[in-house]
Amino acid sequence: MSRKARTVSRLGFVAGAELGFSAPSVRIPAPAFQVATLPGYDQAWMSGVVYPDVWWRQDAVGLRPER
C-alpha cells in the first residue's frame, strides 16, 4: 500500500464502491473516488453523490484528456 493510500485510509476514507456509491462522472477513476462517512451515516438514506451545479458549469469534475 502506498504512503498516500495509507494516509487516506488512516483518515477514514474508503473506496466509494465499497459503500455502494457510484462516481458522479465517468471521468473520475475508481481509485480517486473516495468517501468518508460521518457518525450519522445511514446507507438506507443514501441515493448517491451530487456535486453542486457550479462544478459542472466550470468543468471541474473528473480528469480531462491530455492536450
Side-chain angles (χ1 to χ4, degrees):
M1 183 183 294
S2 72
R3 181 174 162 223
K4 187 173 187 173
R6 283 192 307 272
T7 299
V8 169
S9 177
R10 181 178 54 84
L11 295 175
F13 286 86
V14 297
E18 287 183 27
L19 296 176
F21 288 100
S22 298
S25 170
V26 296
R27 295 189 325 191
I28 301 173
F33 185 60
Q34 301 285 312
V35 297
T37 60
L38 300 173
Y41 170 73
D42 181 354
Q43 191 167 8
W45 288 91
M46 291 303 301
S47 61
V49 175
V50 178
Y51 288 159
D53 185 55
V54 69
W55 289 28
W56 298 102
R57 288 194 314 257
Q58 299 298 320
D59 195 27
V61 177
L63 300 175
R64 268 126 229 84
E66 290 188 28
R67 294 181 184 191

